[in-house]
Amino acid sequence: RRPAARRSGLTIHVLEGDRYVVAASSRAFPGWTADEIHRGLNEPALTAATADVLRRVADALAAAEGTGPDDDPLLQQERAEIRGEERGQIVRRAVRDAFAARSLTITPVLRTWLDDDVELNRAAAPIIRLAWQCRDAGDFLRQVRDVTIGGRKP
């Protein structure tokens, strides 16, 4: 049990000379204060305020090391996946728009294909071209099967 006079919190100690002293913020994580660390560690879910603090600390660490977000392989992968999802949404919208502009019917099979979670990154332009060149939904799907998308055929 904690004595009533002692409040909950976190204290940062740093070595100065041959003894430890209380510090306002971390040396290992520049600018991250004891209160911010304590609050972040006790949140049931990451809040916007803590995310902002973590971003600030990460920027300070990156500046000290001469690195940036693009040097992080995990972040590169996350960004690539997001770009891929956005591109997939654009391709799906473009196919729907092409069919609407050409007064072609979107059949249930084509609707299923458009709603599928197929990665459309590498074949975006050919798929959009096919939507403008095909005779109908069946023709579009037959031709699009010849276009390999992410190692998988739709």
Side-chain angles (χ1 to χ4, degrees):
R1 296 185 81 174
R2 181 184 6 259
R6 189 168 172 204
R7 67 182 189 97
S8 176
L10 181 132
T11 304
I12 297 172
H13 292 89
V14 296
L15 185 61
E16 285 193 5
D18 60 347
R19 64 186 191 93
Y20 285 93
V21 296
V22 174
S25 65
S26 170
R27 283 187 188 160
F29 301 104
W32 201 4
T33 67
D35 286 340
E36 292 167 335
I37 295 169
H38 184 259
R39 187 173 42 255
L41 290 174
N42 287 289
E43 290 176 345
L46 182 68
T47 63
T50 297
D52 288 342
V53 169
L54 293 173
R55 195 169 291 111
R56 184 190 75 222
V57 172
D59 289 345
L61 288 168
E65 293 292 321
T67 62
D70 291 328
D71 295 315
D72 181 342
L74 179 61
L75 187 53
Q76 287 174 358
Q77 182 180 353
E78 292 291 323
R79 286 180 174 174
E81 288 175 13
I82 290 168
R83 284 190 300 271
E85 289 171 12
E86 290 169 353
R87 185 172 293 137
Q89 291 169 358
I90 291 168
V91 171
R92 288 174 179 86
R93 170 62 27 215
V95 169
R96 285 185 181 98
D97 290 349
F99 269 66
R102 298 178 64 215
S103 299
L104 296 177
T105 302
I106 294 180
T107 63
V109 174
L110 178 54
R111 188 172 296 109
T112 298
W113 183 85
L114 288 168
D115 293 340
D116 193 9
D117 209 14
V118 173
E119 181 188 329
L120 297 172
N121 278 349
R122 293 173 234 171
I127 289 173
I128 293 169
R129 258 192 312 279
L130 287 174
W132 285 99
Q133 296 169 350
C134 66
R135 290 186 305 277
D136 56 25
D139 183 42
F140 172 80
L141 290 170
R142 275 188 299 280
Q143 290 186 57
V144 90
R145 281 187 189 98
D146 296 334
V147 180
T148 301
I149 303 169
R152 184 178 154 198
K153 291 191 179 186

